[in-house]
Amino acid sequence: MFFLATVLDPIGRVRGVLREAAVESVAVAVCGVGAGQSFVYGDGAYETASIVKVDILAALLLRAEDAGRRLTARERAYAAAMIGHSDNDSASALWRSIGGADGLDAANERFGLRDTVGGAGALWGLTRTTAADQLLLLRQVFGGDSRLGEASRTYLQGLMGRIAAGQDWGVSAAADGSAWALKNGWLPRGTTGLWVVNSIGRVTAGGHDCLVAALSNGSATKERGIALVEAAARQAVSAFRGSASPRD
């Protein structure tokens, strides 16, 4: 088990990124791959946009393990396109395969996610989650104490390490070079014209393997949202590195 601690400084410096546009909101969380302390800034719920695709695939892999089978060739093709290229049609196909929101919620109950609720109907991108829950999901993917078997974890980790060029922003900003695996999400809300921009994944920085979730909404542009989550990720990882032992 691990505990969540709200850290006002230096993670609180993320507030400085928000000064120019008070409508924006951000939450960020970071922890080690193993057991230990975790930092969380912001406890609100956010629309996932495409970061839910990691959760969809984790739920599919869990169902396959329960049935004692491997993913089919078609499922693997959908999964590769959904994670690597953020293909929405593939996500919709696998969303149906897991039983939509009901299937996602059932898997998340087993994963320990208590504040994530699947989007209604076909609207998987409007699933709502918290930064703390995304850390729990990342632990299922990258940690050893997981409901998923080793083969499933290795498979999902590999896909998150092969993100298409142009989609490799986000928490990777906090990594040393190419030592990252991630999934990003971005969505303009039709009612406001403002953007949801999120990033989750694993980064290696200064000898630390960190799991990071940065969620945001209210940005005027996608680019502004990217800058926001990248700044939040860098601050969170900096704070974690200042308090943790290497490879925590």
Side-chain angles (χ1 to χ4, degrees):
M1 296 296 291
F2 65 100
F3 67 92
L4 301 176
T6 299
V7 179
L8 299 180
D9 187 20
I11 294 181
R13 289 179 292 176
V14 170
R15 291 191 182 97
V17 181
L18 303 176
R19 289 173 184 165
E20 295 180 4
V23 71
E24 291 179 295
S25 175
V26 64
V28 61
V30 60
C31 66
V33 174
Q37 181 170 312
S38 299
F39 294 163
V40 177
Y41 172 91
D43 58 2
Y46 292 76
E47 288 88 5
T48 57
S50 285
I51 62 168
V52 75
K53 291 170 181 174
V54 173
D55 206 358
I56 292 171
L57 182 51
L60 179 68
L61 289 165
L62 188 63
R63 289 170 66 93
E65 289 182 7
D66 288 345
R69 69 173 182 87
R70 297 181 178 181
L71 297 189
T72 67
R74 176 171 292 185
E75 287 171 335
R76 292 176 71 88
Y78 283 147
M82 177 178 72
I83 301 297
H85 297 272
S86 207
D87 183 74
N88 290 336
D89 290 341
S90 295
S92 294
L94 295 184
W95 178 253
R96 292 190 294 269
S97 293
I98 66 169
D102 289 344
L104 189 79
D105 292 347
N108 283 340
E109 183 174 358
R110 295 170 65 184
F111 292 150
L113 280 63
R114 298 290 181 256
D115 297 309
T116 300
V117 180
L123 301 178
W124 43 262
L126 296 187
T127 296
R128 293 182 65 81
T129 193
T130 63
D133 260 15
Q134 289 304 297
L135 283 191
L136 292 170
L137 177 62
L138 289 169
R139 282 189 181 274
Q140 292 296 314
V141 177
F142 292 97
D145 184 15
S146 174
R147 291 281 187 172
L148 294 172
E150 182 178 359
S152 293
R153 298 196 308 273
T154 299
Y155 173 64
L156 219 171
Q157 291 168 23
L159 293 180
M160 293 176 69
R162 297 191 296 273
I163 300 299
Q167 296 185 19
D168 51 359
W169 44 265
V171 298
S172 55
D176 293 338
S178 59
W180 54 262
L182 60 78
K183 182 70 190 81
N184 296 323
W186 58 98
L187 176 70
R189 294 309 313 271
T191 54
T192 63
L194 300 176
W195 285 78
V196 170
V197 179
N198 303 320
S199 184
I200 62 171
R202 178 197 54 76
V203 302
T204 302
H208 299 272
D209 289 331
C210 304
L211 304 179
V212 190
L215 313 180
S216 78
N217 62 40
S219 294
T221 65
K222 177 184 174 184
E223 292 71 24
R224 170 68 182 178
I226 290 173
L228 179 60
V229 298
E230 289 186 340
R234 285 192 293 265
Q235 292 286 2
V237 171
S238 175
F240 183 81
R241 288 174 59 186
S243 64
S245 301
R247 303 296 172 182
D248 189 4

